[in-house]
Amino acid sequence: GNQARDDGVGGSFQRSRGHRIVDSSLDVYAFAVGTLMRRANQPIPRAAGSGADRGGRLGTAPLRRYIDGLAQRQALSVLCGYGTPLTKEECIEASKVAARASDNIANLRSSKQSPMMQNEYGNQRRQVSALYKLARHLASTGGIQNRQRVKAVSTGHNNEVVILGAGATARCKGVKGTLKSGEKLLVRVDKIDPEVGVLNVSLV
């Protein structure tokens, strides 16, 4: 009924606890395999992930990138004696080819998106970035548990406000009717979760 989609349709994808568990497992796997390969003084092909924190990830769940298969092949060759290991030059070239392929796919997807979809996606990314910024600010000044008050300004769309200094938007509880555009308010942060894009605030 009211549950959001989780398949990416219309930019609806949200990271759940299950996604975070899989991510953590893949990070542990990459660390373990990478450590074993370094101890063996052998290279392994890597491809950058979707963010700086995922750069060089050695696998996905399920395995869906060609370079993931090469990484598994190299690990089995070096650590288990299956087949001939790739050379350092071959690993570097495989990583470069994978990076170019990833860039080409990203460019193709971007060119196929309508301006409306691109704008929506851009807005979502800005909101997530703003939520992380606000969360860091709250953590540095006492934490969300203190029900902190922050300054906001109305957008003029019903009860929507923008948190000053962070840029995150939210629907403000406790407002009757539509707020006047540009009206300055003091709101209380009731809940914030940047990973799922949640920000709940109420009028002070």
Side-chain angles (χ1 to χ4, degrees):
N2 295 327
Q3 291 185 342
R5 297 181 65 124
D6 194 27
D7 53 8
V9 173
S12 62
F13 178 80
Q14 294 185 356
R15 280 164 53 82
S16 66
R17 182 172 180 270
H19 292 113
R20 294 194 290 273
I21 291 174
V22 171
D23 264 354
S24 297
S25 300
L26 289 171
D27 286 339
V28 171
Y29 167 78
F31 175 79
V33 173
T35 300
L36 291 173
M37 295 297 287
R38 282 192 297 274
R39 289 179 179 175
N41 196 28
Q42 291 291 325
I44 189 167
R46 294 173 179 265
S50 60
D53 59 329
R54 300 185 187 180
R57 175 167 282 184
L58 295 176
T60 53
L63 292 178
R64 56 181 178 271
R65 304 180 304 186
Y66 181 70
I67 197 162
D68 294 334
L70 289 179
Q72 307 307 304
R73 176 187 182 279
Q74 182 73 345
L76 287 172
S77 297
V78 172
L79 304 175
C80 303
Y82 288 101
T84 304
L86 298 172
T87 65
K88 180 178 180 180
E89 290 72 23
E90 289 173 331
C91 287
I92 292 175
E93 180 60 24
S95 298
K96 289 180 178 178
V97 170
R100 287 198 297 269
S102 179
D103 289 343
N104 290 337
I105 291 172
N107 292 335
L108 180 61
R109 287 175 176 170
S110 178
S111 66
K112 286 187 175 181
Q113 285 182 343
S114 67
M116 183 177 296
M117 289 178 63
Q118 292 180 20
N119 185 57
E120 180 182 353
Y121 179 65
N123 289 338
Q124 290 176 345
R125 292 189 63 181
R126 284 191 292 273
Q127 173 73 351
V128 170
S129 177
L131 289 177
Y132 274 109
K133 183 177 181 179
L134 177 59
R136 288 193 297 269
H137 168 72
L138 295 175
S140 68
T141 55
I144 183 64
Q145 65 271 16
N146 291 335
R147 313 271 287 184
Q148 294 187 49
R149 299 177 178 185
V150 294
K151 294 180 180 180
V153 61
S154 169
T155 64
H157 298 292
N158 297 319
N159 60 339
E160 185 182 66
V161 298
V162 178
I163 307 301
L164 295 178
T169 60
R171 298 288 185 177
C172 184
K173 297 179 181 178
V175 173
K176 295 181 180 180
T178 299
L179 292 168
K180 182 180 178 181
S181 179
E183 183 177 352
K184 295 181 179 179
L185 307 162
L186 191 63
V187 300
R188 183 180 62 238
V189 178
D190 298 319
K191 181 178 180 180
I192 181 171
D193 189 340
E195 288 202 359
V196 296
V198 171
L199 175 61
N200 295 337
V201 302
S202 54
L203 189 64
V204 174

